[in-house]
Amino acid sequence: MSNKRNIRFRDFIGLSLIAMTVLYSCKGDDIIVNDPDDDMRSISITGPFISASYTLQDFLEDLEGDGIFSDEDGLLYYQTRQDVEIEWDDLVTLNDVNSTWNHYIPPFNTGSGDDGSFEFSDRAILSHRNDVRYDSLDLTAGVLRIAIASPYGLSGTVTVDCPGMASGGEPVSITFTVYGNGMVSPEEFSLPLEGMHLNLESNDEAPYLSSLRVNTRVALEGLSYGGDLTVYFSLSDMEAEAAYGYFGTQETTKTDVELDFELFDEIDDLKDRVRVDRISISIQLHNSIGTPFYVETRNMRFYKDDDEDPYEYLTVDGSSTLVIDNVPASVGGEPGFAEVVIDDKSDSNVLDIANGFPRSMKLDIFSRSNPDAGSDPESEPLNYKLAGQDLVAALVAKIPFTLSAAGYERRDTIEFDFNDMIEGSENEVESIELASVYFDFENGLPLSISASAYVIDGNGDLIDYVLDEGTSIIIAGTAARPEASSFKVDLTEDQIEAFRQREAKQLILHYEVMTGKNGESVEITNKGSLRAKISLSAKGTIPN
């Protein structure tokens, strides 16, 4: 794709006429005085002579508006795009864990040879849904808290291990000292979880109940009548930089996603004369998450101006829902991609919508994770999600400039200060007897133009016509086969006198543009050019 250009489409339509306007703003004619006779001397004013080539490329950078591009073949097209992030932050949800485990310590007397050693194992559940399995997590935030309460009379140590939670390869472990009076040191163990890696255990099938193993080892001494040892375990405010496992079939819907069509604002005055013959609207899904998705776009609706109600809904094959049944997961850092395209060849009403000149469209996007989820756990894919990964829907509308237009009318006002153009003395202006304008065009643009032109004074009143209505100005051509058009306009002595006496100030050019030669559909490219050769000559006599 070529670099982006700036252009206003209606300025493009008028581009073919720009060459003509150059003539009327030029000054500095060459005045040639012939050998004088007894009483009068003749003068000949020739110029300026203009030879120029005008291409769309010359004007692309200076004209207003965004969204005009050209492809490798030079075909111009309008494109508008809106990227929408489909929030899947909840795909990996780490709820706070608050667990309390009571373990019974039977009576013992280590003095009589009883063993005061006991071991217990518990699970802290992290899955937030039965069909979600977490295999491992890398945390960027969170807090671990552990505390214990021992029955009166126990003394010794209680060690709590989390073998699946490690930082720098070292599993988390804390040893509490318990005293016969019920005191425990420390009262609570607290540890920030930033940089912590968790390896979790899960059931072989749903409900997976992914969990962190928590082991409690008790080493007591002395005489005990038994009782409950209580372990308080909590994980709070956890955030994951990376999560691996299987994330189930979760769903989300994003409503009222909007795409604006600025082009149709730009060419509002053309909507009764121009028809869009080609258009494509595509929904592109870019998936940087390591999880596949099913996506539907629903209720694609189109609006005019600031209307609250849509004037049309897109239907394709009789349905207002478009389906992308599988957006692949990201693999090796390469995002998965899927696309659905609706164009003028589809069984749809997209062309009718485009020719309604919408200002915006809205739609709803539904997505579901792991669309191929089955009952066999071994068939479920490994999912992952890293920080910053997301599912993005790109709404792209592309309108190639393959258009048809007929009867587009426009009036342009051109500076035509006749006395100033001659730029001579008053006698020299008064003595101009004949003036002619010569036009030679070679048109490689697919626009044909017919026009009339008339001159007005400073009050806006008509002085006279220069070109009669319906005069053929430029014949449509192509870049490969440009068409030549040549003509001459003679200004009569009466017209010259009228222009001088009434101080002609402006030329009004009323023109009608159509594509091709008969309004047929044409491709607009940046390869065609309009070559113009324009000259002015005037003759007369002035006193010696």
Side-chain angles (χ1 to χ4, degrees):
M1 182 179 295
S2 65
N3 292 331
K4 184 173 182 179
R5 305 291 188 185
N6 294 325
I7 189 171
R8 290 180 62 187
F9 181 73
R10 57 185 171 196
D11 287 331
F12 160 71
I13 291 293
L15 176 59
S16 299
L17 305 185
I18 293 177
M20 286 182 286
T21 69
V22 176
L23 166 69
Y24 301 108
S25 62
C26 292
K27 298 171 59 176
D29 306 291
D30 297 327
I31 300 177
I32 302 172
V33 180
N34 294 334
D35 293 333
D37 55 23
D38 292 338
D39 298 314
M40 304 292 291
R41 53 178 174 169
S42 62
I43 62 170
S44 175
I45 302 174
T46 304
F49 185 84
I50 300 171
S51 179
S53 177
Y54 302 91
T55 67
L56 293 180
Q57 197 73 20
D58 295 329
F59 296 91
L60 288 174
E61 297 294 344
D62 298 327
L63 299 177
E64 299 176 0
D66 293 330
I68 304 300
F69 300 82
S70 61
D71 64 17
E72 58 186 11
D73 295 322
L75 176 64
L76 292 177
Y77 62 90
Y78 169 76
Q79 179 172 296
T80 181
R81 174 180 176 136
Q82 179 67 47
D83 288 350
V84 179
E85 181 179 346
I86 302 174
E87 284 95 4
W88 273 106
D89 294 340
D90 294 338
L91 187 65
V92 176
T93 299
L94 299 178
N95 294 328
D96 288 352
V97 175
N98 291 286
S99 297
T100 300
W101 302 299
N102 292 312
H103 301 295
Y104 178 68
I105 305 295
F108 67 89
N109 184 352
T110 56
S112 302
D114 291 339
D115 187 357
S117 298
F118 306 92
E119 292 188 3
F120 308 97
S121 185
D122 301 291
R123 296 173 65 187
I125 306 299
L126 273 72
S127 293
H128 70 290
R129 291 166 49 109
N130 284 340
D131 64 342
V132 170
R133 184 189 78 241
Y134 295 133
D135 297 335
S136 65
L137 301 168
D138 290 318
L139 302 182
T140 57
V143 178
L144 164 67
R145 291 183 176 89
I146 303 174
I148 65 171
S150 66
Y152 188 83
L154 288 182
S155 62
T157 60
V158 176
T159 300
V160 180
D161 297 325
C162 300
M165 177 183 289
S167 176
E170 291 294 326
V172 171
S173 179
I174 174 67
T175 297
F176 296 90
T177 301
V178 297
Y179 300 95
N181 59 3
M183 298 292 291
V184 178
S185 178
E187 293 183 1
E188 180 184 82
F189 171 73
S190 177
L191 179 68
L193 296 179
E194 180 179 3
M196 197 69 67
H197 177 77
L198 276 63
N199 285 318
L200 305 179
E201 302 173 4
S202 302
N203 295 338
D204 291 335
E205 59 184 35
Y208 292 110
L209 301 177
S210 298
S211 60
L212 179 69
R213 179 69 59 182
V214 180
N215 297 323
T216 302
R217 293 181 287 111
V218 181
L220 301 176
E221 56 186 30
L223 174 65
S224 171
Y225 296 101
D228 285 339
L229 174 71
T230 303
V231 178
Y232 302 96
F233 182 93
S234 73
L235 297 168
S236 61
D237 303 322
M238 290 181 291
E239 296 179 8
E241 180 180 39
Y244 299 85
Y246 175 71
F247 303 148
T249 54
Q250 305 183 58
E251 298 178 352
T252 187
T253 300
K254 193 172 186 69
T255 60
D256 295 332
V257 176
E258 186 168 4
L259 178 66
D260 292 327
F261 295 93
E262 295 181 358
L263 169 69
F264 292 131
D265 279 330
E266 294 292 335
I267 61 173
D268 183 68
D269 57 344
L270 297 178
K271 64 184 179 182
D272 295 329
R273 299 294 184 182
V274 172
R275 176 171 174 80
V276 177
D277 294 319
R278 289 174 57 191
I279 183 174
S280 68
I281 297 175
S282 63
I283 313 297
Q284 301 174 356
L285 279 302
H286 303 265
N287 182 20
S288 62
I289 304 173
T291 304
F293 291 94
Y294 168 93
V295 175
E296 289 182 1
T297 65
R298 301 169 175 173
N299 303 319
M300 189 182 296
R301 52 209 184 272
F302 295 80
Y303 298 81
K304 291 184 178 180
D305 300 319
D306 296 324
D307 294 348
E308 294 183 3
D309 298 322
Y311 77 91
E312 190 67 88
Y313 283 78
L314 176 71
T315 58
V316 181
D317 297 327
S319 174
S320 60
T321 298
L322 301 176
V323 174
I324 302 176
D325 55 15
N326 186 36
V327 183
S330 173
V331 177
E334 187 68 25
F337 177 80
E339 179 181 28
V340 60
V341 179
I342 312 98
D343 58 23
D344 46 277
K345 299 180 181 62
S346 305
D347 182 11
S348 72
N349 59 343
V350 68
L351 267 183
D352 293 336
I353 290 172
N355 284 289
F357 288 72
R359 297 306 192 271
S360 64
M361 80 173 190
K362 292 182 180 180
L363 72 158
D364 308 322
I365 301 176
F366 166 85
S367 56
R368 182 176 67 240
S369 59
N370 292 305
D372 296 329
S375 58
D376 181 6
E378 293 183 359
S379 69
E380 293 169 349
L382 174 65
N383 299 161
Y384 68 89
K385 188 177 188 303
L386 307 181
Q389 290 185 336
D390 47 31
L391 176 64
V392 174
L395 313 181
V396 182
K398 182 176 179 180
I399 304 175
F401 281 172
T402 304
L403 307 173
S404 56
Y408 167 58
E409 297 183 43
R410 182 166 176 159
R411 285 177 173 84
D412 280 338
T413 301
I414 302 166
E415 293 301 317
F416 189 75
D417 191 330
F418 187 74
N419 293 343
D420 187 53
M421 285 171 61
I422 300 302
E423 201 179 44
S425 67
E426 183 177 347
N427 285 337
E428 291 168 344
V429 174
E430 289 178 351
S431 301
I432 296 299
E433 298 168 355
L434 175 65
S436 299
V437 182
Y438 301 88
F439 296 84
D440 293 291
F441 292 102
E442 187 179 86
N443 185 16
L445 303 176
L447 303 174
S448 57
I449 305 165
S450 61
S452 62
Y454 54 90
V455 177
I456 61 175
D457 60 20
N459 296 321
D461 296 327
L462 174 68
I463 299 177
D464 202 352
Y465 273 84
V466 176
L467 297 177
D468 292 332
E469 192 170 1
T471 301
S472 180
I473 301 299
I474 303 176
I475 301 173
T478 65
R481 298 187 64 179
E483 290 284 352
S485 302
S486 299
F487 58 92
K488 170 187 174 185
V489 176
D490 292 325
L491 303 181
T492 68
E493 187 174 350
D494 289 341
Q495 285 178 312
I496 294 170
E497 178 63 16
F499 293 162
R500 185 190 67 79
Q501 290 287 351
R502 295 183 57 180
E503 297 184 353
K505 293 297 183 182
Q506 292 178 323
L507 178 76
I508 306 301
L509 186 62
H510 175 211
Y511 58 87
E512 182 175 323
V513 176
M514 63 181 173
T515 53
K517 296 180 179 180
N518 298 297
E520 68 268 20
S521 178
V522 297
E523 289 188 346
I524 309 300
T525 74
N526 64 0
K527 293 186 177 181
S529 65
L530 174 64
R531 299 181 184 276
K533 293 183 180 180
I534 308 174
S535 58
L536 169 69
S537 67
K539 294 181 180 180
T541 58
I542 60 175
N544 278 314

